[in-house]
Every structure is written in structure tokens, then in C-alpha cells.
């Protein structure tokens, strides 16, 4: 494997020392990645939303969580209030049970998968007054700002604090694997592999088949994502 994302990693047959495949991964905006796939310069696209132009394979799921600074005293938030915060209807912490202080929503760039997924759930774009290039920097910024709030994946909380989520009746919504698999947690984020509607190379087809095996699902679970077993 290569530590440089621009340098392909080689899959080598240990018996013959023959290179079976060279694999590279490139982080980019959704539109850029989509263009690469359609142009035949890429075979697979990881995304959190489906596309009518591409075939879809569900590989795992993440959990979306509201996060705040450890210095923020708010004990929890309802799904209704969270939707109002993310859509810009609520601009002060006092409106959701906090102190009389302006509320600052942090997020990723508008064309990121997470923001697009949030927009689908809200029915409109999520308001983000401060944007970040990735989830790690987003969590770090929220942890340092006592009056900020953001949505992130379960595995990328950093030094921020999870804000407990409840339904409209005040019942706690726990982001556990069991709750997600049972459909009881509303902010599940499916993660898909999108493939072009053409015949893929043998290595890509074998990789897609491998993802359904217990060994692959075990590796997925070990990274903090939710397996499908």
C-alpha cells in the first residue's frame, strides 16, 4: 500500500509476485467524481446518495450525530428542534433551551455528500455559516467554539461532544448499531458504491462480490461503520 493518495497501491499475488491490480483513491467533490466515472477514468464512486445514471451497491452505513462543544451546557435536542437549527429557523440557543447566545451552524462545503444528504432529509439546503474541508477539521472547530453546532459521522467526533437526540415525545434516540439495523434511528447515512452502467474490469467485479462476505463486513465494522450482517 502507498501512503501517498496519488500513488497507486499494488495488489500482488504472494505466490508468483505478479501484480494483479493497481488501485488508487482520490478524494474530490461529488460532481468531479461523477464526471470521472462517466468519462471512464474511474470505476467506483463512494457516495451517500444514489444517482439515476449509475448502478448502486450499498456497502455500509454511518450514523449522523449533532455535536457541540464540551463547554455548551445544553443537555439534548429533539429532532424537530434540530431540523429548525439546520434549516436556519432557529438562530439563538435560548429558542431550544439554551442560554441567550447566537447559534452558529458549522458544516462541510455545500457539494459534499454529507451536506447533500442533510438537504435531502430537510427538504432544502442545510444552513452552514462556517464551512470546513473535512469532518476532522469541522469537529475540531466545534469543540473550540462553545456556541456552535454541527452534524458529523459517528466515527469523526474528535474533541467535540455528542448532543443527545430525542424524538418529538422526548424519547431518546440512540445511535447504536442495533437501532440503525432495526430502522429506529432516523439519521442513518447509507454509504453506497456507485458504478457506471458498463461492464467493469474483473478486479472491480470481484471487489464488489467480496464486500458481501463476512471478512469484508468485519473489516467495515472495525473502522466504526455499521456492517450489514
Amino acid at each position: 500500500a502507498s501512503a501517498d493518495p496519488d500513488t497507486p497501491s499494488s495488489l500482488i499475488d504472494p505466490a508468483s509476485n505478479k501484480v494483479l491490480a493497481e488501485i488508487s483513491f482520490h478524494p474530490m467533490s461529488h460532481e468531479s467524481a461523477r464526471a470521472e466515472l462517466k468519462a471512464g477514468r474511474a470505476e467506483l464512486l463512494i457516495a451517500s446518495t444514489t444517482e439515476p445514471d449509475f448502478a448502486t451497491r450499498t456497502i455500509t452505513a454511518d450514523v449522523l450525530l449533532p455535536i457541540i462543544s464540551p463547554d455548551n451546557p445544553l443537555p439534548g435536542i429533539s429532532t424537530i428542534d434540530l431540523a429548525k437549527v439546520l434549516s436556519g429557523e432557529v438562530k439563538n440557543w435560548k429558542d431550544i433551551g439554551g442560554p441567550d447566545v447566537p447559534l452558529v451552524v458549522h458544516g462541510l462545503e455545500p457539494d459534499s455528500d454529507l451536506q447533500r444528504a442533510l438537504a435531502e432529509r430537510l427538504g432544502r439546503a442545510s444552513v452552514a455559516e462556517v464551512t470546513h474541508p473535512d469532518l476532522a477539521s469541522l469537529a475540531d472547530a466545534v469543540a473550540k467554539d462553545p456556541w456552535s453546532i454541527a452534524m458529523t459521522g459517528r466515527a469523526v467526533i474528535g474533541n467535540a461532544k455528542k448532543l443527545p437526540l430525542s424524538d418529538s415525545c422526548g424519547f431518546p434516540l440512540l445511535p447504536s448499531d442495533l437501532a440503525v439495523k432495526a430502522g429506529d434511528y432516523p439519521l442513518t447515512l447509507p454509504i453506497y458504491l456507485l458504478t457506471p452502467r458498463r461492464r467493469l474490469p474483473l478486479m472491480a467485479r470481484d471487489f464488489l462480490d467480496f464486500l458481501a462476505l463476512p471478512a469484508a463486513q468485519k473489516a467495515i465494522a472495525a473502522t466504526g461503520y455499521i456492517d450489514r450482517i
Side-chain angles (χ1 to χ4, degrees), residues 48-161:
S48 297
T49 54
T50 59
E51 294 265 358
D53 294 344
F54 301 114
T56 303
R57 178 79 62 97
T58 304
I59 55 173
T60 183
D62 199 358
V63 171
L64 289 175
L65 299 167
I67 56 171
I68 56 177
S69 166
D71 297 324
N72 189 317
L74 193 71
I77 191 170
S78 70
T79 52
I80 293 175
D81 283 345
L82 180 61
K84 291 179 179 178
V85 166
L86 296 176
S87 62
E89 291 180 46
V90 168
K91 299 182 182 297
N92 193 298
W93 285 101
K94 70 177 181 180
D95 296 329
I96 53 172
D100 185 5
V101 181
L103 184 153
V104 181
V105 178
H106 288 241
L108 300 183
E109 297 296 332
D111 64 345
S112 68
D113 264 12
L114 187 143
Q115 296 301 127
R116 292 170 69 244
L118 284 176
E120 283 192 356
R121 285 161 174 77
L122 292 171
R124 56 175 167 166
S126 172
V127 174
E129 299 165 72
V130 183
T131 58
H132 304 273
D134 53 62
L135 290 176
S137 57
L138 178 145
D140 184 59
V142 169
K144 295 174 180 176
D145 180 355
W147 309 123
S148 64
I149 187 170
M151 298 297 294
T152 188
R154 185 175 62 176
V156 199
I157 295 171
N159 294 321
K161 179 176 73 173

Side-chain angles (χ1 to χ4, degrees), residues 191-202:
I191 298 176
Y192 307 105
L193 272 178
L194 305 186
T195 60
R197 297 188 182 279
R198 54 177 165 78
R199 185 173 177 82
L200 295 173
L202 177 61

